[in-house]
Amino acid sequence: MDYLISDLHLDHDNIIDYCDRPFNSVEEMNETLVEHWNSIIDSNDEVLYGGDLTIRTSAAALLDWLNELNGEIVFLLGNHDGTVLEELDRVQFVEEFRFEHRGVPFYAIHDPADGPSNWNGWLLHGHHHNNWPDQFPFVDHDSRRVNFSVELLDYRPLATDRLVDYLACGERFPDRTTAENALQADD
């Protein structure tokens, strides 16, 4: 898995206020999020997408957005993802996903409440956005959780290599910017 990102909520006007996103309109948000994704992700990159792609519920809307995004996508189903498309060439829909990166085990699920209680690796999740930063920060070493909601990632996909670097610091990070600053201070 090369990159991670969750909870774009494309076409969702209310998410701008709900999560205090820095956009003046849903059109600006949609354009910026797709532009950020495609400026980082190449067509052959593997992306773990943590769910809640669009607020629109039709298969056509979902397919329209998936066609806009680069990469081979493992798509965790979120609570706003009512449509699942079968047999897409570069998208796999799943309820959960396990993988290892540079020796670090990960279990990914949209909502951390649905994760296993006995997992010995890191739990990756979205769902909570930036709304409860004390309980669901970007990196929480005590609970071994990573919240990869787009708001905590500066609205850009995160390289899994970089996440493993952050985890090696052993610190709690509220967001990607704080983690990046901590790594630069160590250099």
Side-chain angles (χ1 to χ4, degrees):
M1 195 55 53
D2 301 312
Y3 293 93
L4 314 164
I5 192 164
S6 185
D7 292 278
L8 294 184
H9 281 258
L10 299 167
D11 297 318
H12 190 177
D13 196 24
N14 290 340
I15 201 76
I16 295 170
D17 289 332
Y18 181 68
C19 293
D20 196 27
R21 289 185 174 187
F23 306 109
N24 295 315
S25 68
V26 71
E27 294 80 14
E28 178 189 1
M29 178 183 72
N30 290 347
E31 182 178 318
T32 301
L33 294 177
V34 170
E35 184 177 291
H36 284 180
W37 177 301
N38 289 334
S39 70
I40 294 170
I41 307 298
D42 292 326
S43 61
N44 58 348
D45 287 331
E46 291 181 338
V47 180
L48 175 61
Y49 182 71
D52 290 354
L53 183 63
T54 180
I55 199 69
R56 293 170 40 209
T57 58
S58 72
L62 179 60
L63 190 56
D64 285 347
W65 284 120
L66 288 172
N67 285 334
E68 291 284 322
L69 301 172
N70 293 339
E72 302 286 328
I73 302 169
V74 174
F75 191 121
L76 291 169
L77 295 173
N79 56 303
H80 292 287
D81 297 316
T83 303
V84 175
L85 301 173
E86 300 290 329
E87 300 181 31
L88 292 178
D89 286 340
R90 54 182 201 84
V91 181
Q92 173 189 3
F93 290 92
V94 297
E95 297 277 337
E96 61 186 35
F97 188 71
R98 295 177 191 183
F99 68 100
E100 191 171 292
H101 191 83
R102 289 179 21 204
V104 178
F106 292 101
Y107 182 102
I109 190 106
H110 179 69
D111 185 342
D114 297 330
S117 60
N118 59 349
W119 177 249
N120 290 325
W122 284 87
L123 180 69
L124 301 173
H125 71 87
H127 186 62
H128 289 292
H129 301 270
N130 58 347
N131 293 313
W132 297 276
D134 291 338
Q135 189 176 1
F136 300 104
F138 168 47
V139 172
D140 185 345
H141 272 270
D142 293 338
S143 65
R144 296 183 58 84
R145 283 192 316 236
V146 175
N147 178 353
F148 65 114
S149 295
V150 67
E151 296 87 1
L152 301 179
L153 303 183
D154 194 29
Y155 303 95
R156 291 167 169 73
L158 172 66
T160 310
D161 275 337
R162 201 61 173 159
L163 174 61
V164 171
D165 293 343
Y166 298 147
L167 298 179
C169 289
E171 296 180 37
R172 179 184 177 100
F173 297 118
D175 56 38
R176 179 182 186 168
T177 303
T178 306
E180 194 63 35
N181 291 340
L183 282 182
Q184 290 173 356
D186 289 341
D187 290 342

